[in-house]
Amino acid sequence: MEQERSVIGTGSPISHLENMMEEMQKFTVLSEKGMQPLDTNRLYQTIMWASAGNEAAIDAKMIIEETLRNVFDGVSKTEVADALVLATVAFIECDPAYGYVAARLLFKKLFKQVTGKTVLNSDVNYEYGRAFTNGIQSGVERGLFDKRMLDFDLDYLALALVPERDHLFDYMGLRTLYERYFLRNEDIQFELPQGFWMRVAMGVAINEPDKNEKAIEFYNVMSMLHYVPSTPTLLHAGLKRAQLSSCFLTTTGDDLRDIFKAYSDNAQMLKWSGGVANDWTDIRATGAIIKSIRIESQGLIPFLKIVNDTTAAINRSGRRRAASVVYLEIWHHDYEDFLDLRKNTGDERRRAHDINIASWVPDLFMKRVEDDGDWTFFSPEEVPGLHDLYGKAFEAAYLDYEKQAQEGGIELFKVVPAKQLWRKMLSRLFETGHPWITFKDPCNVRSPQDHAGVVHSSNLCTEITLNTSLDEVAVCNLGSINLARHVSKGQLNDKVLEHTIETAIRMLDNVIDINFYPIPETRNSNMRHRPVGLGTMGFQDALYQLGINFSDEKARDFADEVMEKVAYHAILGSSKLAKERGTYQSYKGSKWDRNILPQDTIDLLEKERGLPVNVKRGGKLDWAPVRDHLKKYGMRNSNTMAIAPTATISTISGCFPCIEPIYKNIYVKANMSGEFTVVNKYLIEDLKKLGLWSTDLLDQLKFNDGNLDAIDSIPQGLKDKYKEAFAIDPLWLIDITAARGKWIDQSQSHNVFMKGVSGKKL
């Protein structure tokens, strides 16, 4: 028996199951007809149905053995179904195929809940379509959906559903949708996976003149997992109040009315599932004089404590926890106290554990660190305009304010060695994971909207760089291309990628007009500038499929090449929309209008900074057609690209998050049903080809926590291919991000994976 199990992925013939089947017949099941014997043949048929296409990798005997351990006399049918799913999940570590089998078993349960029918004995296409049309009609009747959803030809759309695409989900992807995304009404489940995709497509196509055809087009790119919108779009598309945006960026004014309005605004934005980023740099510092009442201010920290408590008070009923981040420019007089907000020691009245904090860093500070110079803190009301300046203009004003301070013209200031402050920032980063370090000057110098305002902060995930003011709260509308689904026959499928990008840009632009805006300032900003953020995910998957190691120069070349293609078609796609729908309101005077594309801004940054920017210039595509189209028709969107973390939508899509290398080759995933071990599916596939995949090797992987270096039987080529994130030089990962970044008109969410505790390297 042990010899049979030494190699993972061999199916068991039914003759091996006879003893267990007899054993299981001893159990009785509680059904509508009372207590009945457990139908073992039905159980086996279910496993075989769920294993279709994966028979060679699945051991039905092991699944039934594990199920037997989790059933009892008098068990209900639902409990048997759950036991079968959990039994299958337990073997995902042996082979990814078990993940797809578990997903089909979960689908069987979902199908029964939605349709009342058993998937094994039903016309799935018919029942699927009926559930979809009934769900939309019922959702409108109950006030859940927008009434305009009935303007679609529901029968026509039902015929366009492709139930076979449910097989694209692995267990964790479908489980995530089932628990967090599929809509329920009074706990009644009424969405199936393809109906879910179509509902989202309809919600995004609701204003289209040819809405039925566009809904099908949008449905196809999503259901094939080529492109997936961000979580708020998936949750709310088609609903009566369709808040489809991911993040909001605000600026807070130095007035009590503005400050307390900020709390109210934050609550509304958090309520509607948006992440909130607040810029608080304009608030006067501790000890600054409040002229109207002639007393000293208590500074910034007490106000941020209220931001923290507001964030903690908003909970999306477990579907999406409220999240916010506070940005502060590094010259603010309260900055050192700001750095301590996330510490677990000290006065709790001056701590904020439920918000994130980020530093907005001008290039001048980094120059002072390199030159071992001093750094001066100011209170913002004494250095007017400083927060709105960047680059050379900021540097000139800052030097002038420093001179005024030394001559007695400024009352509240403090001077510290720049290196000392930098060490403190890195110490806090090491201790608490905060503050996130973000850079003011490149965000503004490279911004397409430098003519229309200032970028005062980024967002929760540091990929959005949009202008903010008291009148405009920036809104980011996000979605990501799954690169894993665009590689075929060992190369990137450019034709499919082009179609996906242009469809995604249209969907994102539609979001702006459909969106429910929590406060007026969000509408003002979004309607004036119409920014969107198209990103990517599955970069690691694409490298595996192409046979490129993350630590190889080819990885940087691929990042450069694929992002150039994304930029090319995203910009051209927005320009095509401008031809059809008109340019965005503030287009005139933008970098787009001045024929300055993202790749052109590297030279602008180098000139502004006065230091070389070591990024390779140029690309492989002919950009003349894009520039010509822009010159003739302009742009529909002020910004088109941003790479977000994609944590949840990459789980749905079954790929690795955004631009990151694999974190671990073996790891534990957890959901509401429990925990299970997952092994890198690409690694298993390669080990199978070499005849090396076995229970013994699985045990070695577990013992070494996924690190292949200590496993002698694995060839060096595979060890190089399957390096984990912490085994790759973090500086090399930054080089890859920089190569990609030259094409992006916003920014990227980049995590630094650093092995060890070297403060110097950090």
Side-chain angles (χ1 to χ4, degrees):
M1 181 67 71
E2 287 303 311
Q3 188 175 3
E4 284 182 14
R5 290 193 184 183
S6 63
V7 177
I8 299 174
T10 55
S12 292
I14 194 165
S15 58
H16 289 186
L17 305 173
E18 289 173 356
N19 292 337
M20 275 185 298
M21 304 290 262
E22 290 176 9
E23 183 71 21
M24 294 186 79
Q25 284 176 339
K26 297 176 184 178
F27 292 105
T28 56
V29 178
L30 179 62
S31 71
E32 299 85 354
K33 299 178 181 179
M35 303 300 292
Q36 293 185 323
L38 180 60
D39 189 342
T40 52
N41 287 324
R42 179 77 166 183
L43 195 66
Y44 182 73
Q45 288 172 9
T46 298
I47 295 173
M48 290 299 99
W49 166 81
S51 303
N54 289 299
E55 293 91 347
I58 299 302
D59 192 329
K61 175 175 170 288
M62 291 200 307
I63 296 175
I64 291 181
E65 276 183 338
E66 187 65 24
T67 304
L68 189 60
R69 294 190 185 100
N70 293 289
V71 297
F72 50 88
D73 204 31
V75 67
S76 70
K77 282 187 173 182
T78 300
E79 288 168 329
V80 172
D82 289 341
L84 193 56
V85 172
L86 292 177
T88 309
V89 166
F91 299 110
I92 290 176
E93 64 182 34
C94 300
D95 196 296
Y98 285 95
Y100 292 98
V101 174
R104 294 202 75 192
L105 292 170
L106 177 60
F107 171 78
K108 179 177 179 289
K109 174 184 176 180
L110 175 62
F111 189 85
K112 176 75 171 177
Q113 289 176 339
V114 174
T115 67
K117 306 286 184 178
T118 304
V119 69
L120 273 67
N121 298 330
S122 300
D123 181 339
V124 174
N125 287 357
Y126 171 77
E127 295 297 342
Y128 219 123
R130 188 171 67 89
F132 164 71
T133 55
N134 289 347
I136 297 296
Q137 289 166 349
S138 175
V140 173
E141 288 170 9
R142 294 171 184 269
L144 182 63
F145 289 144
D146 189 317
K147 290 180 180 179
R148 291 176 294 170
M149 295 287 273
L150 295 181
D151 294 340
F152 288 87
D153 186 337
L154 297 181
D155 292 334
Y156 178 66
L157 296 184
L159 291 173
L161 299 176
V162 186
E164 291 78 15
R165 291 177 186 168
D166 289 342
H167 301 169
L168 297 175
F169 295 115
D170 65 11
Y171 173 72
M172 199 62 187
L174 185 58
R175 187 95 217 178
T176 301
L177 286 173
Y178 176 70
E179 290 173 349
R180 294 181 57 188
Y181 290 84
F182 292 161
L183 293 178
R184 297 170 175 83
N185 188 63
E186 298 175 355
D187 290 330
I188 298 172
Q189 190 82 42
F190 67 87
E191 277 197 324
L192 291 169
Q194 299 307 310
F196 160 77
W197 289 130
M198 187 61 85
R199 184 261 298 172
V200 174
M202 292 164 65
V204 176
I206 207 162
N207 285 341
E208 291 275 6
D210 52 345
K211 60 182 65 197
N212 291 302
E213 298 306 324
K214 286 301 177 188
I216 292 172
E217 182 183 344
F218 297 164
Y219 161 78
N220 283 329
V221 297
M222 290 188 292
S223 63
M224 290 291 289
L225 305 180
H226 289 170
Y227 165 78
V228 180
S230 63
T231 287
T233 303
L234 298 180
L235 286 175
H236 303 140
L239 270 62
K240 204 169 183 179
R241 287 191 175 178
Q243 199 301 101
L244 311 180
S245 299
S246 300
C247 290
F248 303 102
L249 287 68
T250 77
T251 290
T252 308
D254 186 33
D255 183 280
L256 278 179
R257 282 183 291 268
D258 292 332
I259 290 169
F260 279 84
K261 182 180 184 301
Y263 301 144
S264 174
D265 290 348
N266 279 5
Q268 288 298 321
M269 292 182 286
L270 291 167
K271 170 185 175 182
W272 292 101
S273 201
V276 175
N278 296 149
D279 158 38
W280 283 81
T281 298
D282 276 334
I283 307 303
R284 69 190 62 207
T286 307
I289 299 298
I290 303 172
K291 292 181 180 178
S292 59
I293 52 177
R294 298 183 181 180
I295 63 170
E296 290 185 353
S297 169
Q298 294 189 66
L300 180 64
I301 303 305
F303 292 120
L304 297 187
K305 180 68 173 172
I306 302 175
V307 175
N308 180 86
D309 295 343
T310 302
T311 301
I314 308 294
N315 189 308
R316 296 272 304 158
S317 302
R319 293 186 81 188
R320 202 181 196 213
R321 190 172 66 86
S324 63
V325 59
V326 171
Y327 278 79
L328 191 67
E329 197 153 351
I330 199 171
W331 49 259
H332 195 286
H333 200 273
D334 285 347
Y335 181 72
E336 289 184 293
D337 290 333
F338 176 78
L339 290 178
D340 292 338
L341 275 172
R342 295 278 302 202
K343 286 184 68 175
N344 290 320
T345 58
D347 185 352
E348 276 298 304
R349 291 170 299 179
R350 297 181 70 79
R351 297 292 177 264
H353 303 295
D354 298 299
I355 57 172
N356 304 288
I357 62 172
S359 299
W360 198 231
V361 182
D363 286 350
L364 179 61
F365 173 74
M366 302 309 300
K367 292 176 182 177
R368 293 279 178 92
V369 172
E370 288 189 338
D371 296 339
D372 202 12
D374 290 331
W375 187 249
T376 307
F377 296 114
F378 300 104
S379 186
E381 85 284 357
E382 290 197 276
V383 287
L386 194 59
H387 188 35
D388 292 331
L389 298 173
Y390 55 87
K392 290 178 180 177
F394 171 86
E395 187 168 335
Y398 188 84
L399 292 174
D400 183 57
Y401 284 132
E402 282 187 314
K403 183 180 178 184
Q404 290 182 43
Q406 296 302 325
E407 293 174 350
I410 290 177
E411 294 182 13
L412 189 61
F413 71 96
K414 181 170 62 174
V415 179
V416 298
K419 278 189 176 177
Q420 176 184 306
L421 178 60
W422 182 236
R423 288 192 188 101
K424 185 173 183 179
M425 291 165 65
L426 296 185
S427 296
R428 294 294 177 270
L429 186 62
F430 183 83
E431 293 167 5
T432 70
H434 296 81
W436 304 331
I437 311 296
T438 55
F439 296 97
K440 171 185 184 176
D441 289 339
C443 290
N444 277 285
V445 171
R446 298 193 66 214
S447 170
Q449 291 293 95
D450 56 343
H451 70 304
V454 177
V455 182
H456 290 112
S457 74
S458 188
N459 67 320
L460 266 163
C461 306
T462 72
E463 82 277 11
I464 300 301
T465 54
L466 300 174
N467 300 343
T468 57
S469 68
L470 293 181
D471 298 324
E472 292 186 353
V473 170
V475 182
C476 44
N477 313 295
L478 302 176
S480 294
I481 295 163
N482 181 4
L483 296 178
R485 299 284 297 166
H486 289 85
V487 176
S488 59
K489 299 178 181 177
Q491 62 183 11
L492 198 65
N493 190 324
D494 291 341
K495 188 173 182 180
V496 175
L497 183 64
E498 176 184 348
H499 173 72
T500 301
I501 294 166
E502 293 202 2
T503 304
I505 288 291
R506 188 180 192 96
M507 292 175 70
L508 287 166
D509 186 64
N510 284 0
V511 162
I512 295 167
D513 297 310
I514 297 162
N515 207 28
F516 167 76
Y517 292 96
I519 58 174
E521 292 84 355
T522 54
R523 175 179 286 277
N524 293 345
S525 174
N526 231 23
M527 290 302 179
R528 186 172 179 227
H529 310 300
R530 306 188 68 86
V532 299
L534 179 63
T536 62
M537 56 185 172
F539 181 73
Q540 174 71 91
D541 300 76
L543 291 183
Y544 284 149
Q545 292 169 8
L546 295 168
I548 299 173
N549 297 346
F550 223 119
S551 54
D552 194 294
E553 285 198 8
K554 289 181 180 177
R556 181 174 59 189
D557 294 341
F558 177 68
D560 191 341
E561 175 190 338
V562 75
M563 203 65 222
E564 180 180 9
K565 290 173 181 176
V566 172
Y568 190 100
H569 295 295
I571 294 168
L572 183 57
S574 181
S575 188
K576 287 179 179 178
L577 283 178
K579 178 182 179 182
E580 178 185 338
R581 299 174 172 177
T583 61
Y584 65 93
Q585 290 176 26
S586 62
Y587 171 75
K588 200 68 179 172
S590 67
K591 278 191 172 73
W592 307 113
D593 186 37
R594 285 141 51 200
N595 192 31
I596 301 172
L597 301 187
Q599 61 267 36
D600 304 327
T601 62
I602 303 299
D603 289 337
L604 294 180
L605 180 61
E606 187 171 84
K607 183 178 178 182
E608 192 77 17
R609 197 176 263 176
L611 295 168
V613 177
N614 296 316
V615 173
K616 179 184 173 185
R617 310 301 201 265
K620 293 185 175 181
L621 302 179
D622 177 12
W623 282 80
V626 178
R627 292 183 188 274
D628 290 344
H629 203 282
L630 267 172
K631 189 175 181 181
K632 191 171 183 180
Y633 300 108
M635 287 284 283
R636 179 65 174 168
N637 312 97
S638 66
N639 302 74
T640 60
M641 290 164 281
I643 296 184
T646 74
T648 310
I649 62 170
S650 59
T651 297
I652 293 168
S653 304
C655 66
F656 293 107
C658 58
I659 55 175
E660 293 180 0
I662 186 172
Y663 184 74
K664 283 286 180 187
N665 283 312
I666 188 169
Y667 54 96
V668 174
K669 277 200 171 186
N671 62 27
M672 294 170 72
S673 302
E675 297 182 345
F676 60 98
T677 304
V678 179
V679 184
N680 182 352
K681 62 184 179 182
Y682 298 99
L683 172 61
I684 290 179
E685 187 179 337
D686 279 351
L687 290 172
K688 278 184 173 182
K689 289 175 182 175
L690 296 173
L692 295 174
W693 185 233
S694 65
T695 51
D696 177 61
L697 190 50
L698 174 59
D699 290 340
Q700 289 185 63
L701 266 178
K702 290 179 179 179
F703 181 80
N704 290 285
D705 197 26
N707 188 339
L708 307 185
D709 290 340
I711 304 176
D712 295 335
S713 60
I714 294 182
Q716 187 61 45
L718 289 192
K719 291 178 180 179
D720 293 338
K721 182 176 181 179
Y722 293 106
K723 279 185 180 179
E724 297 171 332
F726 285 100
I728 302 172
D729 184 352
L731 292 173
W732 173 244
L733 295 178
I734 290 172
D735 280 349
I736 294 176
T737 292
R740 182 189 299 109
K742 75 180 176 188
W743 304 108
I744 300 174
D745 53 42
Q746 292 195 70
S747 192
Q748 306 168 67
S749 184
H750 177 106
N751 284 321
V752 175
F753 300 95
M754 204 186 76
K755 193 173 184 179
V757 293
S758 169
K760 183 178 181 181
K761 190 167 187 178
L762 181 62

